[in-house]
């Protein structure tokens, strides 16, 4: 069985083809880049997706050498995300499903991050640390649902890094710029460290860091300190969850999973609690079509599908509300 | 010296100390974080934990007795409480016993809040039902003084989260019992305000279908 997955929650429009044996046949993604110093404009992002969609689809089919008729199911990201972006991807998915007379499968974007990471790393029953522009959550699976052990109470880790990059007039997503700047930082600046039980809060940290930068602190030092503090906060919350759940595997996924310093901190913690750390490969850490396609396979095998006339997007879809029959 | 538990923050050893059965809580250096940040966190939490744990007793919330605090090694030596963690216990209780225990938990949280104490890390791992049937609160490392509605809300939200993540099969009824116990100490009106804040805080997160 082959599933075509369409990702379009935020800045990336992607199409992936994955087989039921878990082979990622092709994964083509095109990312909208806002002007430096600006964030994603939902309308502009949707416009970008509209323009690249036919090209991405054509490329995916050509590269995979698979004919449209050979595809068994069409999966799309149903949420959460930006409404205009989501609607664009959903429209393409609906059109394909109707045209090819194949089942249409709604996929929660974050579940896609978790499932693709599980597929590519082989992690079994892990404590999941999901860090991206849309999520900062610590999760474990139990009785049909992902249970949230800790999460951010305001902005996400990806948000924090993106907004700091924006402040310094870099373009989004800004995680990798911040990481390379942080590498050159030397001075540790005192920033607010806010852990509430298993939860974290990053909004105060962002305000304090922006103020420091505007007051003349070296950008490299600000980036370095922001990484140190924000990652330590998450690591502490993760360690609490790990001590509490006593899991033997930790799975790091989502866009920020690519950050080396975060990986290093979590490696130390996992080792301390005799757990193995699994990190999603860098090419699959960000948003991509493959995450939707693979989760589409899992969902389709559990007979999850939606009628086209009921296939509404859910821009505020929470991941602990998704019933997962396949785990 | 027996390693009792290796928590996220500290290691707990059970040992005999001048003839007393004690727990030695050591906040060890965390190599993953910057040394400056690490020292700041360990020192402030050790001091705060000892101080507020002591104050909690005055509010009528049982906590282990503190015998010694050593700031250089960020260590607290406290009374060993024989009993079981509520986390391990809940499953074995009958529904009535469970609700009674939850209502008691709610009352103790109410007592803390009424006396301007925020626990900061309310989970079922941080509560011990002693062999004599007394409910103890432990782990005050994230505690602080406050009467703010926001802080009280966060405190209860963490408790609620702990139930929904770990004890999901009876989370709803348990949290309801906690709320009722809490209202006994705080009064109906104050309790209502805090619960409203709990719901408001959880909606502040990035995604919430009911927004």
């Amino acid at each position: 069985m082959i599933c075509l997955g369409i990702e379009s929650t935020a800045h990336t429009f992607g199409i992936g083809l994955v087989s039921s044996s878990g082979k990622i046949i092709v994964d083509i993604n095109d990312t909208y880049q806002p002007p430096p110093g600006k964030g994603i404009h939902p309308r502009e992002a949707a416009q970008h997706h509209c323009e690249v969609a036919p090209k991405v689809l054509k490329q995916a089919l050509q590269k995979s050498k698979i004919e449209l008729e050979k595809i068994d199911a069409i999966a799309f990201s149903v949420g959460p995300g930006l409404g205009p972006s989501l609607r664009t991807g959903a429209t393409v998915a609906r059109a394909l499903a109707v045209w090819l007379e194949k089942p249409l499968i709604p996929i929660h974007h974050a579940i896609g991050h978790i499932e693709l990471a599980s597929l590519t790393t082989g992690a079994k029953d892990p404590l999941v640390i999901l860090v991206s522009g849309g999520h900062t959550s610590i999760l474990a699976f139990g009785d049909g649902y992902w249970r949230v052990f800790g999460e951010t109470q305001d902005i996400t880790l990806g948000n924090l890094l993106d907004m700091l990059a924006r402040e310094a007039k870099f373009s989004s997503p800004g995680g990798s710029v911040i990481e390379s700047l942080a590498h050159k930082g030397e001075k540790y600046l005192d920033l607010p460290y806010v852990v509430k039980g298993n939860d974290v809060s990053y909004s105060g940290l962002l305000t304090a860091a922006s103020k420091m930068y505007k007051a003349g602190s070296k950008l490299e030092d600000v980036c370095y300190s922001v990484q140190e503090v924000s990652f330590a906060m998450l690591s502490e919350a993760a360690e609490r969850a790990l001590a509490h759940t006593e899991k033997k595997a930790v799975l790091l996924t989502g866009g920020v999973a690519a950050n080396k310093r975060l990986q290093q901190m979590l490696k130390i913690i996992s080792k301390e609690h005799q757990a193995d750390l699994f990190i999603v490969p860098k090419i699959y850490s960000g948003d991509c079509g493959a995450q939707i396609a693979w989760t589409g396979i899992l969902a389709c095998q559990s007979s999850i599908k939606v009628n086209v006339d009921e296939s509404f997007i859910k821009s505020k879809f929470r991941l602990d509300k998704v019933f997962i029959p396949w785990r | 010296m027996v390693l009792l538990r290796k928590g996220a923050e500290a290691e707990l050893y059970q040992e005999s100390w001048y003839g007393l059965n004690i727990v030695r809580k050591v906040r060890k250096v965390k190599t993953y974080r910057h040394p400056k940040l690490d020292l700041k966190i360990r020192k402030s939490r050790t001091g705060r934990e000892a101080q507020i744990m002591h104050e909690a007793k005055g509010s009528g919330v049982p906590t282990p007795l503190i015998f010694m605090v050593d700031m250089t090694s960020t260590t607290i030596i406290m009374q060993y409480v024989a009993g079981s963690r509520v986390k391990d216990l809940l499953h074995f209780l009958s529904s009535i016993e469970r609700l009674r225990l939850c209502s008691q938990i709610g009352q103790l949280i109410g007592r803390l809040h009424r006396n301007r104490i925020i626990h900061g890390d309310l989970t079922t791992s941080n509560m011990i039902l002693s062999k004599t049937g007394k409910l103890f609160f432990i782990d005050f490392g994230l505690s602080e003084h406050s009467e703010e509605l926001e802080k009280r809300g966060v405190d209860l939200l963490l408790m609620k989260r702990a139930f929904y993540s770990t004890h999901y099969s009876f989370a709803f009824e348990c949290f309801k019992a906690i709320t009722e116990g809490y209202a006994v100490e705080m009064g109906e009106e104050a309790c209502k305000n805090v619960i409203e804040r709990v719901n408001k805080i959880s909606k502040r997160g990035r995604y919430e279908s009911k927004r």
Side-chain angles (χ1 to χ4, degrees):
Chain A
M1 175 185 169
I2 291 170
C3 179
L4 181 147
I6 300 177
E7 156 59 25
S8 69
T9 46
H11 46 52
T12 299
F13 183 87
I15 290 186
L17 287 172
V18 176
S19 76
S20 48
S21 62
K23 184 170 178 249
I24 300 167
I25 303 163
V26 70
D27 186 32
I28 309 287
N29 300 288
D30 197 312
T31 300
Y32 150 79
Q33 197 137 34
K38 295 269 162 42
I40 303 174
H41 189 304
R43 189 190 61 216
E44 304 285 321
Q47 185 64 40
H48 161 269
H49 295 353
C50 243
E51 281 162 16
V52 302
K55 190 185 84 191
V56 172
L57 178 61
K58 212 178 211 170
Q59 225 178 316
L61 294 172
Q62 277 169 0
K63 204 173 158 201
S64 65
K65 300 195 179 66
I66 286 174
E67 285 164 38
L68 261 181
E69 290 71 24
K70 295 271 160 56
I71 289 162
D72 301 288
I74 309 292
F76 71 108
S77 46
V78 67
L82 305 170
S85 293
L86 285 168
R87 276 185 280 271
T88 310
T91 306
V92 177
R94 287 176 198 128
L96 283 173
V98 170
W99 174 253
L100 299 169
E101 295 178 355
K102 298 294 176 192
L104 182 64
I105 306 164
I107 297 299
H108 186 288
H109 172 78
I111 304 288
H113 273 303
I114 299 173
E115 291 300 351
L116 188 65
S118 301
L119 172 72
T120 49
T121 61
K124 295 270 176 300
D125 187 31
L127 180 78
V128 171
I129 299 170
L130 172 61
V131 279
S132 63
H135 288 86
T136 296
S137 312
I138 298 164
L139 313 149
F141 192 78
D143 207 11
Y145 293 89
W146 284 100
R147 311 283 170 175
V148 179
F149 281 79
E151 63 183 342
T152 173
Q153 286 187 353
D154 38 59
I155 61 171
T156 65
L157 190 50
N159 261 167
L160 169 73
L161 301 176
D162 284 348
M163 283 160 92
L164 187 65
R166 237 152 85 188
E167 200 76 54
K169 301 281 177 282
F170 290 106
S171 58
S172 298
S176 59
V177 182
I178 301 283
E179 186 175 4
S180 55
L181 283 169
H183 212 68
K184 294 180 209 130
E186 288 156 356
K187 204 169 136 209
Y188 175 75
L189 308 164
D190 203 18
L191 288 164
Y193 181 99
V194 188
V195 169
K196 304 175 180 184
N198 278 342
D199 279 2
V200 294
S201 159
Y202 287 131
S203 60
L205 175 58
L206 175 64
T207 309
S210 308
K211 271 190 187 155
M212 272 183 184
Y213 173 59
K214 281 181 192 149
S217 292
K218 254 178 77 186
L219 182 61
E220 288 83 355
D221 293 339
V222 174
C223 292
Y224 168 66
S225 308
V226 163
Q227 277 202 12
E228 285 303 312
V229 174
S230 63
F231 295 168
M233 281 161 61
L234 182 71
S235 301
E236 184 187 350
E239 191 177 8
R240 279 166 185 277
L242 193 56
H244 185 76
T245 59
E246 293 165 10
K247 296 274 181 203
K248 288 294 151 224
V250 177
L251 178 62
L252 178 61
T253 182
V256 192
N259 189 297
K260 290 273 183 283
R261 179 67 179 122
L262 179 61
Q263 294 180 0
Q264 188 188 26
M265 286 195 191
L266 291 171
K267 210 169 274 170
I268 295 171
I269 283 161
S270 305
K271 204 174 156 202
E272 186 86 358
H273 291 264
Q274 284 92 44
D276 294 318
L277 175 67
F278 297 88
I279 301 165
V280 68
K282 191 165 186 217
I283 44 163
Y284 299 125
S285 67
D287 297 353
C288 65
Q291 75 189 72
I292 305 301
W294 170 239
T295 315
I297 296 261
L298 297 170
C300 191
Q301 285 170 343
S302 300
S303 316
I304 294 172
K305 55 180 181 182
V306 67
N307 290 330
V308 171
D309 52 0
E310 287 161 3
S311 61
F312 303 110
I313 57 139
K314 298 174 183 169
S315 64
K316 303 275 181 210
F317 203 6
R318 261 189 81 87
L319 95 121
D320 51 2
K321 297 277 187 267
V322 188
F323 176 59
I324 315 275
W326 61 81
R327 266 184 184 264
Chain B
M1 196 163 93
V2 189
L3 178 65
L4 206 58
R5 207 171 113 74
K6 189 174 165 129
E9 259 215 289
E11 287 173 8
L12 302 174
Y13 298 93
Q14 187 192 352
E15 59 188 71
S16 171
W17 188 76
Y18 296 106
L20 294 164
N21 193 1
I22 61 113
V23 169
R24 181 188 295 270
K25 177 166 184 172
V26 188
R27 284 191 163 80
K28 291 226 163 130
V29 174
K30 293 285 178 191
T31 52
Y32 68 82
R33 59 193 174 203
H34 193 283
K36 269 191 195 165
L37 178 63
D38 183 62
L39 190 68
K40 190 173 112 181
I41 291 174
R42 284 188 296 123
K43 280 218 187 312
S44 73
R45 287 189 186 165
T46 304
R48 211 179 265 193
E49 170 156 41
Q51 177 69 33
I52 298 190
M53 222 157 112
H54 176 69
E55 288 173 24
K57 287 193 194 73
S59 335
V61 175
T63 56
L65 286 167
I66 292 177
F67 298 128
M68 200 184 89
V69 181
D70 179 7
M71 289 302 268
T72 46
S73 65
T74 50
T75 299
I76 301 177
I77 291 182
M78 63 181 108
Q79 172 196 5
Y80 172 76
V81 177
S84 336
R85 287 191 297 172
V86 170
K87 179 196 172 192
D88 306 323
L89 202 67
L90 272 183
H91 227 82
F92 299 104
L93 297 179
S94 72
S95 167
I96 292 175
E97 286 171 324
R98 194 159 50 228
L99 294 183
R100 196 181 293 145
L101 181 63
C102 286
S103 158
Q104 207 188 339
I105 291 173
Q107 281 189 38
L108 292 192
I109 299 173
R111 280 186 202 161
L112 287 179
H113 285 190
R114 209 152 46 91
N115 290 284
R116 17 186 333 265
I117 296 173
I118 302 297
H119 183 280
D121 191 14
L122 290 169
T123 69
T124 48
S125 301
N126 291 340
M127 297 163 187
I128 297 174
L129 189 63
S130 78
K131 284 190 175 148
T132 54
K134 211 156 129 188
L135 186 61
F136 281 76
F137 276 15
I138 55 167
D139 212 344
F140 282 72
L142 294 179
S143 64
E144 60 182 319
H145 287 120
S146 173
E147 308 180 279
E148 279 173 50
L149 188 58
E150 172 75 14
K151 303 256 158 123
R152 288 175 174 171
V154 170
D155 225 14
L156 274 191
L157 175 65
L158 294 176
M159 183 80 266
K160 186 177 177 182
R161 166 88 44 72
F163 273 92
Y164 277 88
S165 60
T166 310
H167 312 288
Y168 38 80
S169 44
F170 29 77
F172 180 78
E173 56 195 65
C174 281
F175 191 68
K176 192 162 162 268
I178 287 177
T179 317
E180 284 160 8
Y182 186 73
V184 172
E185 287 291 329
M186 298 286 287
E188 293 292 341
E189 183 66 24
C191 174
K192 207 183 101 214
N193 291 337
V194 179
I195 297 301
E196 266 171 26
R197 183 56 72 105
V198 169
N199 296 331
K200 205 172 142 191
I201 298 166
S202 53
K203 279 183 195 152
R204 217 180 275 158
R206 184 106 175 174
Y207 306 118
E208 185 65 43
S209 9
K210 282 188 204 108
R211 184 158 60 190

